Amino acid sequence: MDMPSIIQEAIAERLGGDNLEELVLAECKLSTDSIGQIVDSVIKCGSTRLGLASNELTKEGFEHVLRYVHSGQCEGLDIGGNDLRNHLDGLASVLNDNCPLFALSLADCNLDPSSLESLLPALIRLPNFRFIDLSHNRDLFATKPSVFKLIRKNLPQFPILKRLHLLDVSMTPEHAIALAEVLPECKNLAHLNILENHLLSPLANAKTEAAQEEACALYASFMAAVRVSDSIICVDIDVPSPGSSEIVKALAKQVVAYSLRNLERLPLAETSDSAIAAMTEPHGGEKELTVPDILLNLVGHVEGYPEDQDNDEPAPDDDYIVGGTGVVKALDICLNRAADGRKNSRDASPMKSGTGTPQQILQGSEVTKGKAKDMSKNLLGSARKIRGRLQPALIKEARMGNEMSYSKSCLYLAASASDRGISGRLQFLDSTLQRMIQRFEDEYPETRLSPPLPSTEDAASNNTSSMDNRTILKPGPSDLTIPPPSPDPIEEDTFLTSPLIRPASLSRRSSSPSLASRQAQEEGRMHRFGQRLRRDIFRPQTEDHAHGTTGTEEEASHLKDLRRRLEQLEGPEIEEKVTRLGPEAVLAAIGASAEKLAEAERKGEGEG
């Protein structure tokens, strides 16, 4: 008698009866016939869990496994380590609403996105399904399109899923951040494992500023997800190394802190004995959340923390830049995913021509637009707090006169990038945060904050200090204005502006370049603007044969007046004009102003 037959007889006719709950025969190189005999014996014995990992299952051998699942007694199944890329449709077909399966391991099964298209919806129907392991299937996320959209769509629909393993699946930081956005919607998910992903692990030891910003985006996203979740008690993610940025380590620490908070809130019936013992320790009974000082200095007051840090000294400049840019990147990914989701939903249901078309377009825009998710709204709140805390740092830099004052003249804005220093980077971060907040509010209008009602004095002050948005310089003897830009032809299209037919509002996609790259582009534009301003209008004040100057000439009084007015402008004001209208329009307006001042000067001399 061969070994499989002996095992079959021993299991099927064991004197202990049907008390054998689990049988594991991993890496035993079982033949197809042997697997059939084993399955017959466990069905007869009444075993509820079977492990056949790494047994080189063939299609015929997998049919025996499906027979075990179809028997109605399989609660746990480990078939990892077998090539099942093209076989999981059969597993989906034998699952029904009465199947008691609660745990399934498909680790290292050479799966691709198409392998799970029918399986995940079938698993959602199971009333007791709690655990799935998809680890070591790199093609799931490396293939394009990846499985991410399928997981993001189906994950919140699992009624009682508790645990998800996604180790070593080629997950990118963008995938991880977008996955974190839907985690709070999984009302019973307690444990997520994303270790060993080769594109995520290096962020735990980020050294460059760009990598630290990426790491901040990752850990801030999971911190926000766990914070707004009531069920997540563990996120297995790479722990930042001792050499990582302090802000990155603080964010990772808060992922653990909020996980422990959720653990304390669980009913005792759902908590293990070891967890209950841990909560009886002194740290377990704490009701106040411990928040690292660096995060308190960055965002100020934290909900659930008794102390208010809003009036404390702001965090160091580097923390503002790395932390703030990380939050911006995370929000950008969330917005891009929302736009992709709406685009895919419209593509999946093509419109028909005729009278139903306007209604179809309306349904594809306003009706299906959706609301902001709790995790991304939490990130939005963090962005607002960081920007609010950024203002004291900018004012401090202005008072200290550190390399670049807060109120820059146009000529000083044209300085090189090396001259701008940390203050310029903080100002650029401030504008980046403002644009991202505005973009999010445009995408989800319900997230807008109600503006405070201005007092009578404030309203009067604003009316007297306001400036026409077409004026490039402050009012003087001659108003210097530029005509408004011609309207965009798209905005005048009556079809698009019809109140009944409006396309979905898609957010502009951003490539999320690093802060330094985007800053360099803006600095280059302002630098070229300043060079042309000095060359074409003011002319060099040193010896320059190309412009006919010797360096001894006295600058004309009208140019002195123009220079004085330009220096009274704030840097952001001129930068906004150049960005909105273009350098050519601004230079033309300044040139026209110079001619008007020269003409006024000549008239004054003639009258004299």
Side-chain angles (χ1 to χ4, degrees), residues 113 116 120 139-143 145-155 166 171-182 333 337-338 340:
L116 301 178
L120 288 183
D139 285 348
L140 287 178
F141 285 87
T143 304
S146 73
V147 77
F148 172 76
K149 293 179 182 178
L150 187 64
I151 291 180
R152 181 180 164 100
K153 174 184 176 181
N154 289 279
L155 191 58
L166 292 170
M171 182 181 293
T172 66
E174 182 176 347
H175 288 143
I177 291 170
L179 177 64
E181 188 182 19
V182 301
I333 290 172
R337 288 295 174 182
D340 287 344

mmCIF file of all heavy atoms in Angstrom, residues 113 116 120 139-143 145-155 166 171-182 333 337-338 340:
data_model
loop_
_atom_site.group_PDB
_atom_site.id
_atom_site.type_symbol
_atom_site.label_atom_id
_atom_site.label_comp_id
_atom_site.label_asym_id
_atom_site.label_seq_id
_atom_site.Cartn_x
_atom_site.Cartn_y
_atom_site.Cartn_z
ATOM 1 N N PRO A 113 -4.208 40.358 -12.968
ATOM 2 C CA PRO A 113 -5.503 40.998 -12.680
ATOM 3 C C PRO A 113 -6.714 40.217 -13.165
ATOM 4 O O PRO A 113 -7.750 40.167 -12.496
ATOM 5 C CB PRO A 113 -5.374 42.351 -13.386
ATOM 6 C CG PRO A 113 -3.912 42.641 -13.371
ATOM 7 C CD PRO A 113 -3.246 41.315 -13.544
ATOM 8 N N LEU A 116 -8.586 37.532 -10.892
ATOM 9 C CA LEU A 116 -9.466 37.866 -9.778
ATOM 10 C C LEU A 116 -10.776 38.518 -10.217
ATOM 11 O O LEU A 116 -11.595 38.867 -9.365
ATOM 12 C CB LEU A 116 -8.739 38.814 -8.810
ATOM 13 C CG LEU A 116 -7.447 38.292 -8.192
ATOM 14 C CD1 LEU A 116 -6.830 39.356 -7.295
ATOM 15 C CD2 LEU A 116 -7.703 37.019 -7.389
ATOM 16 N N LEU A 120 -13.254 37.773 -6.861
ATOM 17 C CA LEU A 120 -13.547 38.740 -5.805
ATOM 18 C C LEU A 120 -15.053 38.980 -5.636
ATOM 19 O O LEU A 120 -15.554 38.972 -4.507
ATOM 20 C CB LEU A 120 -12.811 40.053 -6.078
ATOM 21 C CG LEU A 120 -11.292 40.034 -5.876
ATOM 22 C CD1 LEU A 120 -10.708 41.421 -6.112
ATOM 23 C CD2 LEU A 120 -10.920 39.543 -4.497
ATOM 24 N N ASP A 139 2.585 40.167 -10.563
ATOM 25 C CA ASP A 139 1.894 40.628 -11.769
ATOM 26 C C ASP A 139 0.574 41.310 -11.459
ATOM 27 O O ASP A 139 -0.004 41.956 -12.340
ATOM 28 C CB ASP A 139 1.647 39.445 -12.709
ATOM 29 C CG ASP A 139 2.914 39.008 -13.426
ATOM 30 O OD1 ASP A 139 3.904 39.765 -13.365
ATOM 31 O OD2 ASP A 139 2.931 37.919 -14.025
ATOM 32 N N LEU A 140 0.079 41.186 -10.232
ATOM 33 C CA LEU A 140 -1.177 41.839 -9.881
ATOM 34 C C LEU A 140 -1.074 43.355 -10.039
ATOM 35 O O LEU A 140 -1.989 44.008 -10.535
ATOM 36 C CB LEU A 140 -1.577 41.489 -8.449
ATOM 37 C CG LEU A 140 -2.095 40.074 -8.211
ATOM 38 C CD1 LEU A 140 -2.408 39.868 -6.730
ATOM 39 C CD2 LEU A 140 -3.328 39.797 -9.052
ATOM 40 N N PHE A 141 0.059 43.928 -9.612
ATOM 41 C CA PHE A 141 0.230 45.377 -9.689
ATOM 42 C C PHE A 141 1.235 45.795 -10.756
ATOM 43 O O PHE A 141 1.243 46.955 -11.163
ATOM 44 C CB PHE A 141 0.659 45.927 -8.329
ATOM 45 C CG PHE A 141 -0.450 45.976 -7.316
ATOM 46 C CD1 PHE A 141 -0.733 44.875 -6.530
ATOM 47 C CD2 PHE A 141 -1.224 47.111 -7.169
ATOM 48 C CE1 PHE A 141 -1.764 44.906 -5.604
ATOM 49 C CE2 PHE A 141 -2.258 47.154 -6.245
ATOM 50 C CZ PHE A 141 -2.526 46.045 -5.456
ATOM 51 N N ALA A 142 2.083 44.863 -11.196
ATOM 52 C CA ALA A 142 3.067 45.213 -12.233
ATOM 53 C C ALA A 142 2.436 45.238 -13.615
ATOM 54 O O ALA A 142 2.903 45.948 -14.509
ATOM 55 C CB ALA A 142 4.230 44.222 -12.206
ATOM 56 N N THR A 143 1.364 44.477 -13.811
ATOM 57 C CA THR A 143 0.680 44.454 -15.104
ATOM 58 C C THR A 143 -0.143 45.721 -15.280
ATOM 59 O O THR A 143 -0.701 46.251 -14.319
ATOM 60 C CB THR A 143 -0.239 43.220 -15.189
ATOM 61 O OG1 THR A 143 0.534 42.039 -14.949
ATOM 62 C CG2 THR A 143 -0.896 43.123 -16.547
ATOM 63 N N PRO A 145 -3.409 47.274 -17.402
ATOM 64 C CA PRO A 145 -3.836 47.871 -16.131
ATOM 65 C C PRO A 145 -3.699 46.888 -14.980
ATOM 66 O O PRO A 145 -3.842 45.689 -15.171
ATOM 67 C CB PRO A 145 -5.304 48.225 -16.390
ATOM 68 C CG PRO A 145 -5.743 47.237 -17.423
ATOM 69 C CD PRO A 145 -4.546 47.006 -18.301
ATOM 70 N N SER A 146 -3.428 47.416 -13.810
ATOM 71 C CA SER A 146 -3.191 46.578 -12.641
ATOM 72 C C SER A 146 -4.508 46.165 -12.000
ATOM 73 O O SER A 146 -5.598 46.573 -12.408
ATOM 74 C CB SER A 146 -2.331 47.333 -11.622
ATOM 75 O OG SER A 146 -3.090 48.345 -10.994
ATOM 76 N N VAL A 147 -4.383 45.346 -10.962
ATOM 77 C CA VAL A 147 -5.554 44.863 -10.232
ATOM 78 C C VAL A 147 -6.074 45.904 -9.258
ATOM 79 O O VAL A 147 -7.107 45.685 -8.599
ATOM 80 C CB VAL A 147 -5.193 43.562 -9.480
ATOM 81 C CG1 VAL A 147 -4.372 43.880 -8.222
ATOM 82 C CG2 VAL A 147 -6.439 42.756 -9.106
ATOM 83 N N PHE A 148 -5.395 47.043 -9.170
ATOM 84 C CA PHE A 148 -5.731 48.005 -8.129
ATOM 85 C C PHE A 148 -7.189 48.459 -8.196
ATOM 86 O O PHE A 148 -7.882 48.495 -7.188
ATOM 87 C CB PHE A 148 -4.810 49.225 -8.219
ATOM 88 C CG PHE A 148 -5.229 50.333 -7.311
ATOM 89 C CD1 PHE A 148 -4.998 50.259 -5.956
ATOM 90 C CD2 PHE A 148 -5.909 51.437 -7.806
ATOM 91 C CE1 PHE A 148 -5.417 51.254 -5.108
ATOM 92 C CE2 PHE A 148 -6.321 52.439 -6.969
ATOM 93 C CZ PHE A 148 -6.075 52.352 -5.614
ATOM 94 N N LYS A 149 -7.661 48.817 -9.387
ATOM 95 C CA LYS A 149 -9.032 49.309 -9.499
ATOM 96 C C LYS A 149 -10.034 48.247 -9.084
ATOM 97 O O LYS A 149 -11.068 48.546 -8.475
ATOM 98 C CB LYS A 149 -9.302 49.774 -10.929
ATOM 99 C CG LYS A 149 -8.511 51.006 -11.324
ATOM 100 C CD LYS A 149 -8.795 51.412 -12.762
ATOM 101 C CE LYS A 149 -7.961 52.628 -13.152
ATOM 102 N NZ LYS A 149 -8.180 53.019 -14.578
ATOM 103 N N LEU A 150 -9.740 46.989 -9.399
ATOM 104 C CA LEU A 150 -10.628 45.891 -9.011
ATOM 105 C C LEU A 150 -10.671 45.743 -7.489
ATOM 106 O O LEU A 150 -11.747 45.571 -6.905
ATOM 107 C CB LEU A 150 -10.156 44.591 -9.668
ATOM 108 C CG LEU A 150 -11.045 43.362 -9.507
ATOM 109 C CD1 LEU A 150 -12.381 43.575 -10.191
ATOM 110 C CD2 LEU A 150 -10.342 42.128 -10.077
ATOM 111 N N ILE A 151 -9.509 45.829 -6.839
ATOM 112 C CA ILE A 151 -9.464 45.712 -5.374
ATOM 113 C C ILE A 151 -10.127 46.920 -4.736
ATOM 114 O O ILE A 151 -10.914 46.788 -3.785
ATOM 115 C CB ILE A 151 -8.005 45.562 -4.901
ATOM 116 C CG1 ILE A 151 -7.447 44.209 -5.340
ATOM 117 C CG2 ILE A 151 -7.906 45.721 -3.392
ATOM 118 C CD1 ILE A 151 -6.012 43.974 -4.927
ATOM 119 N N ARG A 152 -9.828 48.106 -5.238
ATOM 120 C CA ARG A 152 -10.409 49.326 -4.662
ATOM 121 C C ARG A 152 -11.935 49.329 -4.776
ATOM 122 O O ARG A 152 -12.638 49.808 -3.884
ATOM 123 C CB ARG A 152 -9.806 50.542 -5.373
ATOM 124 C CG ARG A 152 -10.300 51.894 -4.865
ATOM 125 C CD ARG A 152 -9.619 52.997 -5.654
ATOM 126 N NE ARG A 152 -10.278 54.274 -5.506
ATOM 127 C CZ ARG A 152 -9.872 55.254 -4.696
ATOM 128 N NH1 ARG A 152 -8.806 55.080 -3.953
ATOM 129 N NH2 ARG A 152 -10.521 56.392 -4.624
ATOM 130 N N LYS A 153 -12.446 48.773 -5.868
ATOM 131 C CA LYS A 153 -13.894 48.727 -6.062
ATOM 132 C C LYS A 153 -14.555 47.701 -5.149
ATOM 133 O O LYS A 153 -15.633 47.958 -4.581
ATOM 134 C CB LYS A 153 -14.196 48.404 -7.531
ATOM 135 C CG LYS A 153 -15.667 48.201 -7.821
ATOM 136 C CD LYS A 153 -15.875 47.793 -9.274
ATOM 137 C CE LYS A 153 -17.355 47.491 -9.553
ATOM 138 N NZ LYS A 153 -17.565 47.056 -10.965
ATOM 139 N N ASN A 154 -13.946 46.529 -5.001
ATOM 140 C CA ASN A 154 -14.602 45.426 -4.289
ATOM 141 C C ASN A 154 -14.313 45.389 -2.799
ATOM 142 O O ASN A 154 -15.127 44.873 -2.026
ATOM 143 C CB ASN A 154 -14.185 44.085 -4.910
ATOM 144 C CG ASN A 154 -14.789 43.852 -6.276
ATOM 145 O OD1 ASN A 154 -15.930 43.443 -6.414
ATOM 146 N ND2 ASN A 154 -14.014 44.140 -7.323
ATOM 147 N N LEU A 155 -13.170 45.938 -2.380
ATOM 148 C CA LEU A 155 -12.779 45.811 -0.982
ATOM 149 C C LEU A 155 -13.828 46.357 -0.013
ATOM 150 O O LEU A 155 -14.155 45.692 0.984
ATOM 151 C CB LEU A 155 -11.424 46.507 -0.773
ATOM 152 C CG LEU A 155 -10.736 46.263 0.567
ATOM 153 C CD1 LEU A 155 -10.488 44.779 0.794
ATOM 154 C CD2 LEU A 155 -9.420 47.034 0.636
ATOM 155 N N LEU A 166 -1.037 41.769 1.280
ATOM 156 C CA LEU A 166 -0.553 42.170 -0.041
ATOM 157 C C LEU A 166 0.964 42.347 0.000
ATOM 158 O O LEU A 166 1.509 43.356 -0.434
ATOM 159 C CB LEU A 166 -1.235 43.473 -0.484
ATOM 160 C CG LEU A 166 -2.735 43.384 -0.782
ATOM 161 C CD1 LEU A 166 -3.332 44.769 -0.978
ATOM 162 C CD2 LEU A 166 -3.000 42.520 -2.013
ATOM 163 N N MET A 171 3.487 46.738 -5.426
ATOM 164 C CA MET A 171 2.647 47.904 -5.166
ATOM 165 C C MET A 171 3.509 49.161 -5.170
ATOM 166 O O MET A 171 4.590 49.197 -4.587
ATOM 167 C CB MET A 171 1.940 47.746 -3.822
ATOM 168 C CG MET A 171 0.992 48.881 -3.473
ATOM 169 S SD MET A 171 0.203 48.652 -1.854
ATOM 170 C CE MET A 171 -0.827 47.230 -2.182
ATOM 171 N N THR A 172 3.029 50.211 -5.811
ATOM 172 C CA THR A 172 3.730 51.491 -5.859
ATOM 173 C C THR A 172 3.216 52.404 -4.742
ATOM 174 O O THR A 172 2.142 52.161 -4.175
ATOM 175 C CB THR A 172 3.519 52.176 -7.208
ATOM 176 O OG1 THR A 172 2.129 52.532 -7.337
ATOM 177 C CG2 THR A 172 3.914 51.255 -8.359
ATOM 178 N N PRO A 173 3.944 53.476 -4.417
ATOM 179 C CA PRO A 173 3.419 54.428 -3.429
ATOM 180 C C PRO A 173 2.067 54.998 -3.826
ATOM 181 O O PRO A 173 1.203 55.204 -2.978
ATOM 182 C CB PRO A 173 4.503 55.514 -3.384
ATOM 183 C CG PRO A 173 5.762 54.812 -3.779
ATOM 184 C CD PRO A 173 5.342 53.794 -4.793
ATOM 185 N N GLU A 174 1.860 55.244 -5.116
ATOM 186 C CA GLU A 174 0.571 55.763 -5.556
ATOM 187 C C GLU A 174 -0.540 54.763 -5.296
ATOM 188 O O GLU A 174 -1.632 55.121 -4.851
ATOM 189 C CB GLU A 174 0.634 56.115 -7.045
ATOM 190 C CG GLU A 174 -0.667 56.714 -7.578
ATOM 191 C CD GLU A 174 -0.551 57.147 -9.025
ATOM 192 O OE1 GLU A 174 0.586 57.207 -9.530
ATOM 193 O OE2 GLU A 174 -1.586 57.427 -9.648
ATOM 194 N N HIS A 175 -0.274 53.476 -5.569
ATOM 195 C CA HIS A 175 -1.260 52.435 -5.269
ATOM 196 C C HIS A 175 -1.578 52.403 -3.775
ATOM 197 O O HIS A 175 -2.754 52.305 -3.378
ATOM 198 C CB HIS A 175 -0.723 51.061 -5.692
ATOM 199 C CG HIS A 175 -0.687 50.862 -7.176
ATOM 200 N ND1 HIS A 175 0.329 50.170 -7.804
ATOM 201 C CD2 HIS A 175 -1.519 51.268 -8.166
ATOM 202 C CE1 HIS A 175 0.103 50.141 -9.104
ATOM 203 N NE2 HIS A 175 -1.004 50.812 -9.356
ATOM 204 N N ALA A 176 -0.530 52.459 -2.955
ATOM 205 C CA ALA A 176 -0.725 52.358 -1.503
ATOM 206 C C ALA A 176 -1.544 53.530 -0.969
ATOM 207 O O ALA A 176 -2.430 53.352 -0.124
ATOM 208 C CB ALA A 176 0.630 52.282 -0.798
ATOM 209 N N ILE A 177 -1.261 54.740 -1.450
ATOM 210 C CA ILE A 177 -1.989 55.920 -0.972
ATOM 211 C C ILE A 177 -3.455 55.843 -1.388
ATOM 212 O O ILE A 177 -4.361 56.127 -0.598
ATOM 213 C CB ILE A 177 -1.326 57.192 -1.512
ATOM 214 C CG1 ILE A 177 0.054 57.378 -0.858
ATOM 215 C CG2 ILE A 177 -2.198 58.419 -1.261
ATOM 216 C CD1 ILE A 177 0.894 58.469 -1.500
ATOM 217 N N ALA A 178 -3.700 55.464 -2.644
ATOM 218 C CA ALA A 178 -5.084 55.351 -3.105
ATOM 219 C C ALA A 178 -5.807 54.206 -2.399
ATOM 220 O O ALA A 178 -7.019 54.280 -2.165
ATOM 221 C CB ALA A 178 -5.112 55.146 -4.611
ATOM 222 N N LEU A 179 -5.099 53.137 -2.041
ATOM 223 C CA LEU A 179 -5.718 52.061 -1.265
ATOM 224 C C LEU A 179 -6.078 52.541 0.132
ATOM 225 O O LEU A 179 -7.152 52.207 0.669
ATOM 226 C CB LEU A 179 -4.759 50.866 -1.183
ATOM 227 C CG LEU A 179 -5.220 49.674 -0.340
ATOM 228 C CD1 LEU A 179 -6.477 49.046 -0.937
ATOM 229 C CD2 LEU A 179 -4.108 48.644 -0.226
ATOM 230 N N ALA A 180 -5.189 53.336 0.738
ATOM 231 C CA ALA A 180 -5.471 53.861 2.074
ATOM 232 C C ALA A 180 -6.741 54.692 2.090
ATOM 233 O O ALA A 180 -7.449 54.742 3.107
ATOM 234 C CB ALA A 180 -4.279 54.699 2.561
ATOM 235 N N GLU A 181 -7.069 55.327 0.965
ATOM 236 C CA GLU A 181 -8.255 56.179 0.923
ATOM 237 C C GLU A 181 -9.540 55.383 1.139
ATOM 238 O O GLU A 181 -10.509 55.908 1.701
ATOM 239 C CB GLU A 181 -8.313 56.924 -0.408
ATOM 240 C CG GLU A 181 -9.408 57.980 -0.457
ATOM 241 C CD GLU A 181 -9.498 58.674 -1.795
ATOM 242 O OE1 GLU A 181 -8.985 58.120 -2.786
ATOM 243 O OE2 GLU A 181 -10.072 59.767 -1.860
ATOM 244 N N VAL A 182 -9.577 54.121 0.700
ATOM 245 C CA VAL A 182 -10.815 53.335 0.826
ATOM 246 C C VAL A 182 -10.828 52.449 2.065
ATOM 247 O O VAL A 182 -11.845 51.825 2.361
ATOM 248 C CB VAL A 182 -11.039 52.467 -0.433
ATOM 249 C CG1 VAL A 182 -11.139 53.328 -1.663
ATOM 250 C CG2 VAL A 182 -9.945 51.425 -0.594
ATOM 251 N N ILE A 333 -2.979 62.517 -5.517
ATOM 252 C CA ILE A 333 -3.267 61.132 -5.924
ATOM 253 C C ILE A 333 -4.733 60.807 -5.706
ATOM 254 O O ILE A 333 -5.380 60.184 -6.553
ATOM 255 C CB ILE A 333 -2.355 60.163 -5.144
ATOM 256 C CG1 ILE A 333 -0.899 60.308 -5.625
ATOM 257 C CG2 ILE A 333 -2.821 58.720 -5.316
ATOM 258 C CD1 ILE A 333 0.100 59.539 -4.799
ATOM 259 N N ARG A 337 -7.361 59.788 -8.728
ATOM 260 C CA ARG A 337 -8.095 58.519 -8.710
ATOM 261 C C ARG A 337 -9.594 58.764 -8.844
ATOM 262 O O ARG A 337 -10.313 57.999 -9.494
ATOM 263 C CB ARG A 337 -7.802 57.756 -7.407
ATOM 264 C CG ARG A 337 -6.407 57.170 -7.350
ATOM 265 C CD ARG A 337 -6.219 56.104 -8.414
ATOM 266 N NE ARG A 337 -4.844 55.636 -8.443
ATOM 267 C CZ ARG A 337 -4.394 54.728 -9.304
ATOM 268 N NH1 ARG A 337 -5.212 54.226 -10.209
ATOM 269 N NH2 ARG A 337 -3.140 54.345 -9.291
ATOM 270 N N ALA A 338 -10.079 59.828 -8.216
ATOM 271 C CA ALA A 338 -11.503 60.148 -8.329
ATOM 272 C C ALA A 338 -11.856 60.476 -9.776
ATOM 273 O O ALA A 338 -12.887 60.034 -10.296
ATOM 274 C CB ALA A 338 -11.853 61.318 -7.415
ATOM 275 N N ASP A 340 -10.239 59.429 -12.463
ATOM 276 C CA ASP A 340 -10.141 58.187 -13.241
ATOM 277 C C ASP A 340 -11.387 57.337 -13.067
ATOM 278 O O ASP A 340 -11.888 56.732 -14.007
ATOM 279 C CB ASP A 340 -8.908 57.386 -12.803
ATOM 280 C CG ASP A 340 -7.624 58.011 -13.295
ATOM 281 O OD1 ASP A 340 -7.698 58.870 -14.204
ATOM 282 O OD2 ASP A 340 -6.552 57.670 -12.770
#
